[in-house]
Amino acid sequence: MAGGKIQKKRHGGGAGGGGGGGARLQGGIPFEKSKGQHILRNPALVDSIVEKAGLKPTDTVLEIGPGTGNLTKRLLQAGVKAVVAVELDPRMVLELNRRFQGDPLASRLKVIQGDVLKCDLPYFDICVANIPYQISSPLTFKLLSHRPIFRCAVIMFQREFAMRLVAQPGDSLYCRLSVNVQLLSRVSHLLKVGRNNFRPPPKVDSSVVRIEPRKPLPPVSFKEWDGLVRLCFNRKNKTLGAIFKQKRVLELLEKNYKTMQSLQLTSDAEKGEEKMSPDDVALLSSMVDDMNMESGYENDDDDEMEMDDADMVAESRACFKEKIMGILQQGDFAEKRASKLSQVDFLYLLSLFNKAGIHFS
């Protein structure tokens, strides 16, 4: 089922379309917009989605939010090995089981009641789904992190979200979401879907998108990558030179730099010690902050010593700022903006920082 924004449930039950009772199933069950329950009612559109999925007889298909089973039935009729449907609403699970009761297709259908964001996903070759739109982002990344890697996903999204997924450098909707998803997958726009193809109609138009995970994945730490991209897209139309000159940015990077340097020294001195994980590094970084704060309680130093310390800190920060600016200039990035950078650009920039010992996680 597709859906718009989460809305509060009205008094009297259903949150569906107009009038007193709202839109209902044949059995009288009201749709709940708070759960993204907008049923795809156009058979030709359902057929087109199934056709574009490129299904094989050996495929196990994951469907998310099957609702009343319109898409489910066409998937089974396409002759796939199995359909695993994950549905949150127990009323819809009952409706789905009732619809396929006594149908030979039911032998290839498995229905799981639960929250797709919280449950462990089973093995699947392809995902075909008309999802509640409020879970679009977390679901996309949950699918992309699923192992073993699936062949592709054909998913109905809110149109603006879909356009962000496929946006290219220079597009107005190009953003951190675009860069992160495209790092992990190839994304293409398949169909534009008007709101009147749903019952009840949502407030926005939709689009069907194809997502194909990259094999193999780029050899980069996703935590590092997201740290850099998050920083750059915080002000995507500012030059990188201006972003990396900010005091808070320099302080954060210098703290990470010193932490990583100390870890490298420890690693060199203590052979046989196990390497720290990124989480350990983050924990150590916060501990360094705490120790720095505690050192402020030593009040016996004279004014001259305090002045010397301040001068040393200022000189250290000036040198580190010069180091950062040098990296940006080395790759000709100082005057460039995140909104115009491609994945290749970001990968190159991250490699330049990492070679200089600068990290973002």
Side-chain angles (χ1 to χ4, degrees):
M1 289 169 291
K5 297 179 180 177
I6 301 176
Q7 297 181 0
K8 292 183 179 178
K9 193 174 175 181
R10 297 176 183 172
H11 273 312
R24 292 174 179 267
L25 294 174
Q26 190 174 359
I29 303 173
F31 293 121
E32 294 185 7
K33 286 186 179 179
S34 63
K35 294 179 180 175
Q37 292 178 348
H38 297 263
I39 306 301
L40 191 57
R41 68 177 187 176
N42 184 339
L45 186 56
V46 174
D47 289 344
S48 182
I49 292 172
V50 172
E51 179 186 347
K52 290 181 179 296
L55 300 173
K56 300 177 181 178
T58 55
D59 282 342
T60 294
V61 181
L62 174 69
E63 185 186 8
I64 299 161
T68 58
N70 293 341
L71 179 57
T72 314
K73 185 172 184 179
R74 285 294 296 112
L75 290 170
L76 290 167
Q77 289 173 339
V80 296
K81 179 180 178 181
V83 173
V84 180
V86 181
E87 174 59 59
L88 176 64
D89 191 343
R91 304 169 312 149
M92 295 295 179
V93 172
L94 288 172
E95 180 68 23
L96 203 59
N97 287 329
R98 187 161 43 237
R99 177 169 186 171
F100 288 96
Q101 188 174 12
D103 191 321
L105 296 174
S107 63
R108 292 183 283 117
L109 173 63
K110 180 180 179 181
V111 181
I112 299 174
Q113 183 184 330
D115 186 338
V116 70
L117 297 180
K118 296 178 181 178
C119 69
D120 292 330
L121 297 178
Y123 171 86
F124 65 96
D125 300 291
I126 185 169
C127 175
V128 182
N130 175 26
I131 67 169
Y133 290 162
Q134 57 264 33
I135 67 170
S136 295
S137 186
L139 176 62
T140 299
F141 286 102
K142 176 162 185 171
L143 290 175
L144 288 173
S145 65
H146 181 73
R147 296 296 179 271
I149 295 176
F150 55 96
R151 189 167 77 250
C152 78
V154 175
I155 303 179
M156 181 91 70
F157 290 114
Q158 180 178 338
R159 180 161 175 78
E160 184 176 334
F161 183 87
M163 292 299 98
R164 289 182 186 278
L165 289 181
V166 301
Q168 297 298 307
D171 294 348
S172 61
L173 291 177
Y174 188 61
C175 61
R176 181 170 147 241
L177 174 70
S178 319
V179 177
N180 282 346
V181 172
Q182 291 173 31
L183 174 76
L184 301 174
S185 63
R186 296 177 183 83
V187 192
S188 54
H189 183 270
L190 298 180
L191 292 170
K192 181 177 179 180
V193 182
R195 64 195 74 182
N196 291 328
N197 288 286
F198 300 93
R199 177 169 55 93
K203 294 182 177 179
V204 294
D205 289 333
S206 305
S207 280
V208 179
V209 168
R210 183 182 181 91
I211 300 174
E212 298 178 63
R214 294 188 185 276
K215 300 177 188 177
L217 289 172
V220 62
S221 161
F222 187 72
K223 197 169 183 180
E224 280 266 354
W225 167 273
D226 189 56
L228 170 64
V229 172
R230 183 191 298 267
L231 186 62
C232 293
F233 274 95
N234 191 39
R235 294 287 186 273
K236 72 175 186 178
N237 290 315
K238 288 186 71 172
T239 65
L240 297 187
I243 290 173
F244 282 91
K245 282 178 183 176
Q246 295 177 76
K247 182 180 178 182
R248 64 177 183 81
V249 173
L250 288 170
E251 287 177 348
L252 173 65
L253 295 180
E254 186 175 16
K255 180 184 72 175
N256 288 350
Y257 177 72
K258 290 179 177 178
T259 300
M260 295 301 292
Q261 289 291 101
S262 66
L263 287 176
Q264 185 61 48
L265 288 173
T266 302
S267 176
D268 292 342
E270 300 177 10
K271 290 185 179 180
E273 289 291 324
E274 196 171 313
K275 268 193 171 182
M276 283 200 174
S277 70
D279 289 337
D280 293 330
V281 174
L283 179 61
L284 179 58
S285 180
S286 63
M287 288 170 62
V288 169
D289 279 349
D290 293 340
M291 288 188 289
N292 286 342
M293 292 174 66
E294 289 170 6
S295 67
Y297 287 106
E298 297 180 12
N299 297 319
D300 295 332
D301 295 337
D302 57 27
D303 292 342
E304 183 179 351
M305 182 66 75
E306 290 178 1
M307 184 66 73
D308 288 344
D309 288 345
D311 289 344
M312 288 176 63
V313 170
E315 183 178 350
S316 173
R317 287 182 177 170
C319 289
F320 188 76
K321 179 179 179 180
E322 186 176 340
K323 182 183 183 74
I324 296 295
M325 292 302 110
I327 294 170
L328 293 177
Q329 289 164 5
Q330 178 186 350
D332 196 26
F333 285 108
E335 296 303 316
K336 292 182 178 178
R337 293 164 169 78
S339 59
K340 303 292 177 65
L341 296 183
S342 68
Q343 288 174 56
V344 173
D345 292 329
F346 279 113
L347 285 168
Y348 179 44
L349 178 59
L350 181 59
S351 71
L352 290 177
F353 275 120
N354 285 171
K355 285 176 184 176
I358 309 298
H359 294 271
F360 296 85
S361 61

